[in-house]
Amino acid sequence: RCVPPPLQPGFAGSDFYANWPWIFKTLVLTFLAGSPKSLSCNEVRCAVDESFTTGTYTNPARMKRWGAPVVGEPTAYSKDKEQCDKLWNKTEKLVGEPFFPQAN
C-alpha cells in the first residue's frame, strides 16, 4: 500500500543558508530553526504511520516550523485548485515531461 500524504517538514537550519548574512544565521537560525535531523521525523512518520490516508497533512508542532510532527490543516492556498494546476503544469515544464503521459 502506498499512501502519499503531503507534509511540511519545517524550517531547518541547514547549509542552504550558508551564504546568507551572519546576523540572519546567528539570530534567526539559532532561535527559530530546527535541525535537519530532527525535522526528518516528519518524512519518516509519513512513510510509516499506517493511520494516514491520502491527503493527511503533517507539519511540525511548534509554530509549524520545528518540533515533533503532528497532523495539521493545509493552508487555503494549498487547497486552491487553480494554484495547484499552475504548480503542476510548471513542474511538468521544468522536468520536461508530463507526469501522466497520455496513452497512445
Side-chain angles (χ1 to χ4, degrees):
R1 181 183 131 196
C2 180
V3 176
L7 63 100
Q8 194 278 80
F11 178 55
S14 67
D15 290 340
F16 176 80
Y17 304 101
N19 295 321
W20 287 45
W22 70 270
I23 192 76
F24 173 84
K25 291 189 293 187
T26 302
L27 296 177
V28 175
L29 295 182
T30 300
F31 296 107
L32 296 178
S35 72
K37 183 178 180 180
S38 69
L39 294 174
S40 67
C41 292
N42 248 352
E43 285 83 358
V44 172
R45 180 173 182 200
C46 285
V48 300
D49 192 328
E50 293 183 7
S51 70
F52 285 174
T53 59
T54 298
T56 300
Y57 179 83
T58 67
N59 55 258
R62 297 179 64 197
M63 297 173 53
K64 296 186 179 181
R65 287 181 174 70
W66 71 96
V70 295
V71 173
E73 184 64 31
T75 64
Y77 187 77
S78 69
K79 295 178 183 181
D80 184 327
K81 174 134 176 50
E82 184 178 324
Q83 292 299 323
C84 292
D85 289 343
K86 285 181 184 178
L87 177 60
W88 189 272
N89 293 333
K90 181 69 171 179
T91 304
E92 285 184 331
K93 284 181 183 177
L94 289 170
V95 171
E97 59 184 78
F99 294 124
F100 298 104
Q102 299 297 321
N104 294 330

